[in-house]
Amino acid sequence: VVRSPGGTVARPEQLVPGDQLLDLIRDGYLGFFARFPSPAALDAVTLWAAHTHMRDEKGVLVFRATPRLGLFSSEPGSGKGLVLELLMDIVPNCFGLDLEPTQGGLVHTLNDEHATVMLDEADILLGAGSRKEGVRAVLNGGTYRHGTILNAKGGKTNRVPVFGPVALAGLDVMEKDTGDKLKALFTRFVKIRMVKVTGAAKPPKRTPKSYELVVQVKAWLELWASQVRDEVAAAVPEMPDEDMEGRTEDIWAPLLAVADAAGGDWPDRARAACRELALARPGDTRDLAAEFAEFAGSFSFGD
């Protein structure tokens, strides 16, 4: 028996329609207040938000791995920070947009607070230099459930888990200017390349009502996650391509498992997003009906 966001008790057989819930988050919230470079990018961010709710009784994600969500752009004003702000309101245990965190701060918030971490200005945080090696180590190792920080003091040692979801935003100069220093970290990302929009293409501003409604959206996500988390935890989702293996498979498996649990067209959409974002294989953009009509209109053996 679970309680609905409205406070009434729902019967166990009353399942939240996951596909409709994700549709609402994608089209009525994230895609309404922000502009994404492609439908695949919007689908991936929606699934990432949902996967942060799939936690066990201790507040730990039920997956073996969690993808880092990276919102990158070549110029300021592309909306990457806005997407972080939108995500803050629907993911669990998010306490703000963190700037210049220390290794100790990240360890505490991931292990003790079971936070969903949002890091802004990542191009400054992860730029060239070694002063943030500890932060990079947490972001790297904490992608996997077995990731820990090993400490020693007074002849005693302890291992602190650092597994947990992280999204960050920054200018993509960090990927270009740091050489191989961030190579391992970037293999753990679902990368979204944000593009600046102007004029009529700009999204509307949020209203006071939107902040009220998003509280309900988050509550529905929590309820749905409580109903499907065991299914999601045990899932071994089919990959969309035989070339997907290793770390790419690890970081996309949670998003595909969430999509499969949601049903509807989400399993297909998730795999299309995976092919486009992970393998750089966009979907078929040819309009075959139009091409054939043009061909048929000019077809004649009599010429």
Side-chain angles (χ1 to χ4, degrees):
V1 177
V2 292
R3 290 194 175 274
S4 75
T8 59
V9 178
R11 296 192 301 273
E13 67 270 18
Q14 291 182 310
L15 298 179
V16 175
D19 59 333
Q20 296 177 44
L21 177 60
L22 294 188
D23 287 349
L24 180 66
I25 294 168
R26 179 191 64 203
D27 301 325
Y29 180 60
L30 292 174
F32 186 79
F33 289 114
R35 295 292 177 260
F36 291 82
S38 69
L42 177 54
D43 288 341
V45 175
T46 302
L47 290 168
W48 187 89
H51 110 284
T52 66
H53 284 271
M54 303 295 167
R55 298 171 182 245
D56 61 22
E57 294 82 358
K58 296 181 180 180
V60 180
L61 289 174
V62 299
F63 308 103
R64 173 176 171 265
T66 173
R68 276 40 180 128
L69 178 64
L71 302 159
F72 305 121
S73 71
S74 60
E75 59 179 338
S78 64
K80 53 189 181 298
L82 171 62
V83 174
L84 287 185
E85 292 179 21
L86 293 172
L87 287 171
M88 282 176 55
D89 288 340
I90 58 173
V91 299
N93 302 346
C94 187
F95 307 108
L97 292 180
D98 296 317
L99 305 171
E100 291 281 335
T102 63
Q103 181 189 45
L106 275 181
V107 171
H108 170 77
T109 197
L110 287 168
N111 180 62
D112 298 318
E113 298 176 326
H114 300 300
T116 301
V117 178
M118 301 284 168
L119 301 177
D120 205 359
E121 308 293 345
D123 48 294
I124 299 174
L125 171 66
L126 300 176
S130 60
R131 63 192 180 92
K132 292 295 183 181
E133 290 290 357
V135 170
R136 294 168 186 164
V138 173
L139 295 178
N140 272 330
T143 302
Y144 288 93
R145 174 174 289 276
H146 56 249
T148 63
I149 294 293
L150 177 62
N151 296 309
K153 186 176 181 180
K156 297 182 179 180
T157 60
N158 71 306
R159 289 177 173 83
V160 184
V162 288
F163 177 57
V166 178
L168 60 80
L171 297 176
D172 57 14
V173 293
M174 62 180 168
E175 191 170 5
K176 302 173 183 176
D177 295 347
T178 51
D180 292 336
K181 188 173 289 291
L182 298 183
K183 187 175 181 180
L185 179 58
F186 278 112
T187 65
R188 291 157 165 80
F189 275 97
V190 172
K191 300 178 186 177
I192 309 297
R193 303 289 181 184
M194 300 295 290
V195 180
K196 188 174 183 178
V197 295
T198 58
K202 294 181 66 174
K205 300 289 186 181
R206 295 185 68 181
T207 63
K209 183 179 180 181
S210 74
Y211 290 97
E212 297 174 6
L213 289 175
V214 78
V215 173
Q216 299 176 43
V217 171
K218 181 178 179 180
W220 281 108
L221 262 177
E222 292 171 349
L223 176 57
W224 179 60
S226 72
Q227 295 179 335
V228 301
R229 69 180 182 189
D230 291 341
E231 171 190 344
V232 168
V236 183
E238 181 181 350
M239 292 295 119
D241 193 287
E242 62 182 10
D243 290 340
M244 284 201 64
E245 56 185 13
R247 186 160 293 146
T248 303
E249 180 178 357
D250 291 342
I251 65 171
W252 274 92
L255 305 190
L256 298 180
V258 169
D260 289 345
D265 64 355
W266 277 97
D268 291 336
R269 295 184 70 94
R271 285 163 177 81
C274 180
R275 284 191 293 268
E276 179 174 327
L277 298 175
L279 301 175
R281 295 177 183 170
D284 188 357
T285 59
R286 297 174 62 190
D287 187 342
L288 293 181
E291 289 183 26
F292 184 80
E294 182 180 358
F295 159 72
S298 62
F299 183 84
S300 174
F301 280 119
D303 295 342

